[in-house]
Amino acid sequence: MMTKPSLPQGTRDFQPETLRKRSYIINTIKNQFELYGFAPLETPAMENIETLLGKYGDEGDKLIFKILNNGLDHPSKRESSGRAFQNILAGKNEKEITSRALRYDLTIPFARFVATNHQQLPMPFRRYQVQPVWRADRPQKGRYREFYQCDADIAGTTSLLADAELALLYRDVFRALNLQVSIRINNRKILAALSAMAAKNGATSNVITVIDKLDKIGIQAVKQELLENGIDEKTVIAIDSYLSISGNNRNKLDALKMFFREDNTGIEGIIEIEKILQLVTDEGTFVMDPTLARGLDYYTGTIYEVQAQGVKIGSIGGGGRYDDLTGLFGVKGIPGVGISFGIDRIYDVMEELKLFPDSLAVSTQVLFFNLGDDESRYAFGIMNECRKQGIAAELFYDKVKLDKQFKYADKKRIPFVAIIGSKEMESGECKIKELSTGEEVTIKTNQLYEFLNK
Amino acid sequence: MMTKPSLPQGTRDFQPETLRKRSYIINTIKNQFELYGFAPLETPAMENIETLLGKYGDEGDKLIFKILNNGLDHPSKRESSGRAFQNILAGKNEKEITSRALRYDLTIPFARFVATNHQQLPMPFRRYQVQPVWRADRPQKGRYREFYQCDADIAGTTSLLADAELALLYRDVFRALNLQVSIRINNRKILAALSAMAAKNGATSNVITVIDKLDKIGIQAVKQELLENGIDEKTVIAIDSYLSISGNNRNKLDALKMFFREDNTGIEGIIEIEKILQLVTDEGTFVMDPTLARGLDYYTGTIYEVQAQGVKIGSIGGGGRYDDLTGLFGVKGIPGVGISFGIDRIYDVMEELKLFPDSLAVSTQVLFFNLGDDESRYAFGIMNECRKQGIAAELFYDKVKLDKQFKYADKKRIPFVAIIGSKEMESGECKIKELSTGEEVTIKTNQLYEFLNK
């Protein structure tokens, strides 16, 4: 049987070089998560279908990958026409055909987990989770059907210390990755106050969705849309002045206080941001941004978004505070706050800015050439000693022409090759060639480990 | 809406404590893989269905989880009766209903990858892969529908150096895990010779499947089955003598040489094992075992199986050499050899023998108590300095009774709590309590980092 193999649309193999870079990003993030007291969690790829359906809106529901219940397409019952398969499905309702689905994000599985386990967990519960999710989206550049999400959430507190901490976590992760970023912060209460003001003055739908488009379509188009939304001109001018608030964080907060001076909800949001900014004290990295909206997510307080500097790419992280994590699963009273890292985009930015350490390209330090049966048996022992000393080493398996062995070292970016022929076996020596310089030295084999460990 | 959440049968959440132990196992293995020059690979969870079907036998095909093609159950078309869903499926053949499936193991995706990319890869190609796989098996103790596989394979060489190396890799991994094991080695050519002998003397089916049951049913039952298989009594006695071969590796190889003295295939297998044992020179860990069969897998040469010592549990690893990795995908001439680690069983063994380092239980080193708004703002800064110094630290978010904060520290196994009240704020000091001993000291906050780093 011969099948020309291919990959499902929107999925990827990760080859060694890419994977090492991805692991570098993920491990750097995990290290910071651990420093911040977050504990790891992993949930299964598949959830019961009722756990997922109805949580992501109609559009989301359509993008959930559903798994066929097992036994429905028993190969022995299959006919090439497919008719038998239809007969098997005939008379079954949906639940009998699919009762499980692939996870669509990490938040709902986390909510499901907390709803089930909150009585045993140390509360407030800080967890991080780095796992793939699946969405039946139309694949396009930068959008995949399988991709990793990387989330940190704190469940079970309304304390703004948590919100401040997550802002610092963003800062420390991107510092550790050596990536210049701007961390934008806003508060949904401020936007809610603005939205209420618009609603009072003719808005037929939530103005947050319009404001969310500002980056993409610009202020003129936003104003146009607001007018089309039924908002009176005076209010549109007010919203324009809101969106134009500028200066440093202090200036902006003062201007906002004036703007919302008679609105309790607005003032509450402003005070929350003030408290967070007092705790993080790092003007420059943290930017209070009244125009930040984060779509129509379930956020109710602080919202964050991270932009990389020096590249044109969307946000590489986002998150916020939500009032109710587990209510959907029948457990009330668990608020939370969480942030997310866009691994694929962080990867692209770091690639573009050449921020990956060179050392990631190298894994095997030395390749022992294969010069024949006796020589390779001898080299095999020395290679094993290298590994014992913590030096990643390989021996070429087959006695082939040297240029083929050189090519292999080159393809794997192995910096050193070790050549041991019968002469070297006798003298207890070893020829070492550094591939980048072409330099060659002959040393005693017992000095080899020290030489390579440098 | 209220749903009582539950997990699909045969799947698991991994909570922090378990996950830290699993990561310890996986990272220890990965470190050895890297020392041995293996490069990481990850393939997508879903493959095109034709990539997987027909590769695992009829039984395997039944256990593959298939994914419903998207759009078939558009929520807007759904009715509670499920009738509409049937109408959508009506008239569709199988391919229109499911064209993707979840990966069933890591070997077929690896074969698919090598078949597609072998011309770009450094060949021979050493890859490792640690990812979950899914099987619609009936769940039972120790058998899950989602579980991790952990494989290392070398594709593109017939050299026995590769077989020897994988034996050493097994040894070094289990050494690093501090786990006493016995690594059993045999060769399929020897079993093939035995099987041919039986076939010549009346066997109606492959005797390897019978021999494979030896551990479970014992020698008498095996002999009985061989007789029922149509093999004449003289040959059954010969097979019995084969299965009874004992002594050290040298004794066994000599006895086997006598047994197969006129059989080229058998002798070839024996010589291969001899060469491997010469290369690994570690009698005691590596046990030549003529009774090792490894079921009816696709192996054609060396086979391995690892048993943990001191516990009653099945094998915790297995593997072997195969002639043809990519033939199924139309690429001939790529032989290989690979080994696999049973993460779940290794976990169980290490748990039973208490081999996990105590340090895995601890992540956060110090919890700062929350004694009020001013105190917690002050402690927040000191906590951040801890993290900067590489010390995992937390501040309790809410000002609640101290015993609640103690309980939290206890549940998270945090070894130290730091108490900073108004008095300590004034004096620039900090009370530190070690929870395991109850000891309490008051130190200058600038000495805190050194104190905790010890």
Side-chain angles (χ1 to χ4, degrees), chain A residues 1-3 5-8 11-16 19-20 34-48 50 55 61-62 64-68 70 73-75 78 81 85-86 89 91-94 97-98 100 102 112-113 116-117 119-124 126 134 136 145-146 148 154 157 159 161-162 164-165 168 279 328-330 363-364 370 376-377 380 383-384 387 390-398 408 411-412, chain B residues 1-3 5-8 11-16 19-20 34-37 39-48 50 55 61-62 64-68 70 73-75 78 81 85-86 89 91-94 97-98 100 102 112-113 116-117 119-124 126 134 136 145-146 148 154 157 159 161-162 164-165 168 279 328-330 363-364 370 376-377 380 383-384 387 390-398 408 411-412:
Chain A
M1 190 184 62
M2 205 205 283
T3 326
S6 68
L7 274 182
T11 69
R12 299 165 282 176
D13 287 325
F14 290 114
Q15 297 212 26
L19 209 48
R20 283 188 214 284
E34 293 276 345
L35 279 177
Y36 274 72
F38 286 79
L41 176 73
E42 282 183 17
T43 62
M46 49 179 84
E47 295 276 353
N48 287 327
E50 58 272 18
K55 309 301 192 297
D61 274 357
K62 279 188 226 163
I64 293 173
F65 277 112
K66 292 155 198 90
I67 294 163
L68 207 56
N70 206 254
D73 60 342
H74 197 308
R78 201 189 308 143
S81 71
F85 187 61
Q86 277 171 49
L89 296 184
K92 295 213 186 307
N93 64 32
E94 181 172 355
I97 288 171
T98 175
R100 284 165 297 231
L102 293 180
R112 193 257 313 139
F113 174 81
T116 314
N117 299 287
Q119 279 159 327
Q120 289 80 49
L121 294 172
M123 293 297 281
R126 311 178 199 213
W134 295 270
R145 290 187 157 173
E146 173 180 74
Y148 269 71
I154 301 161
T157 184
S159 167
L161 290 166
E165 186 163 62
L168 291 175
L279 284 162
L328 281 169
F329 297 109
S363 48
T364 299
N370 190 323
S376 64
R377 251 200 310 275
F380 189 80
M383 169 188 69
N384 284 324
R387 290 171 178 169
I391 301 157
E394 296 180 40
L395 165 62
F396 202 85
Y397 295 118
D398 302 287
Y408 175 86
K411 251 190 178 169
K412 271 195 100 166
Chain B
M1 189 184 60
M2 204 204 286
T3 326
S6 68
L7 274 181
T11 68
R12 297 166 283 177
D13 287 325
F14 290 114
Q15 297 211 27
L19 209 49
R20 288 215 164 88
E34 293 276 346
L35 280 177
Y36 273 73
L41 176 73
E42 282 183 15
T43 63
M46 49 179 84
E47 294 277 351
N48 288 325
E50 59 272 18
K55 309 302 193 297
D61 275 357
K62 280 187 228 166
I64 293 173
F65 277 113
K66 291 153 199 91
I67 294 164
L68 207 57
N70 206 254
D73 60 344
H74 197 307
R78 204 189 306 144
S81 70
F85 188 61
Q86 276 172 50
L89 296 184
K92 296 214 187 308
N93 63 31
E94 182 172 352
I97 288 171
T98 174
R100 284 165 297 230
L102 293 179
R112 191 258 312 140
F113 174 81
T116 315
N117 298 288
Q119 278 160 327
Q120 288 80 48
L121 295 172
M123 293 295 281
R126 310 179 200 213
W134 296 269
R145 289 186 159 174
E146 172 179 75
Y148 269 71
I154 303 160
T157 183
S159 167
L161 290 166
E165 186 164 61
L168 290 174
L279 284 162
L328 282 168
F329 298 108
S363 48
T364 300
N370 190 322
S376 64
R377 250 199 311 276
F380 189 81
M383 170 189 69
N384 284 325
R387 292 171 176 167
I391 299 158
E394 297 181 37
L395 165 63
F396 202 86
Y397 295 118
D398 302 288
Y408 176 86
K411 252 190 178 169
K412 271 196 101 168

Side-chain angles (χ1 to χ4, degrees), chain A residues 367-379:
Chain A
L367 174 70
F368 288 84
F369 273 10
N370 190 323
L371 303 181
D373 278 356
D374 291 342
E375 292 87 342
S376 64
R377 251 200 310 275
Y378 179 86

Side-chain angles (χ1 to χ4, degrees), chain B residues 207-311:
Chain B
V207 296
I208 295 181
T209 39
V210 184
I211 290 174
D212 197 33
K213 298 182 194 168
L214 182 63
D215 280 351
K216 272 185 202 146
I217 63 175
I219 184 70
Q220 287 313 321
V222 164
K223 279 161 75 177
Q224 189 57 38
E225 266 203 48
L226 291 172
L227 286 170
E228 284 162 13
N229 228 310
I231 305 173
D232 68 31
E233 207 161 327
K234 207 181 121 204
T235 309
V236 170
I237 291 170
I239 294 175
D240 184 19
S241 77
Y242 170 90
L243 294 174
S244 310
I245 285 172
S246 65
N248 63 23
N249 289 339
R250 187 68 263 156
N251 302 147
K252 283 186 227 166
L253 289 168
D254 288 342
L256 284 169
K257 276 189 183 165
M258 277 295 289
F259 190 92
F260 289 109
R261 61 191 171 276
E262 278 158 26
D263 187 313
N264 286 340
T265 309
I267 292 294
E268 213 177 291
I270 297 164
I271 289 173
E272 287 186 10
I273 295 188
E274 252 176 349
K275 284 187 178 164
I276 292 168
L277 290 176
Q278 272 165 22
L279 284 162
V280 301
T281 57
D282 191 342
E283 178 97 15
T285 302
F286 302 106
V287 180
M288 196 279 140
D289 184 349
T291 72
L292 175 65
R294 300 273 315 144
L296 271 181
D297 280 320
Y298 41 85
Y299 300 122
T300 51
T302 311
I303 49 179
Y304 318 83
E305 205 165 280
V306 184
Q307 249 78 34
Q309 314 237 343
V311 285

Side-chain angles (χ1 to χ4, degrees), chain B residues 48-63:
Chain B
N48 288 325
I49 211 160
E50 59 272 18
T51 301
L52 303 184
L53 283 182
K55 309 302 193 297
Y56 306 104
D58 274 2
E59 280 309 304
D61 275 357
K62 280 187 228 166
L63 302 182

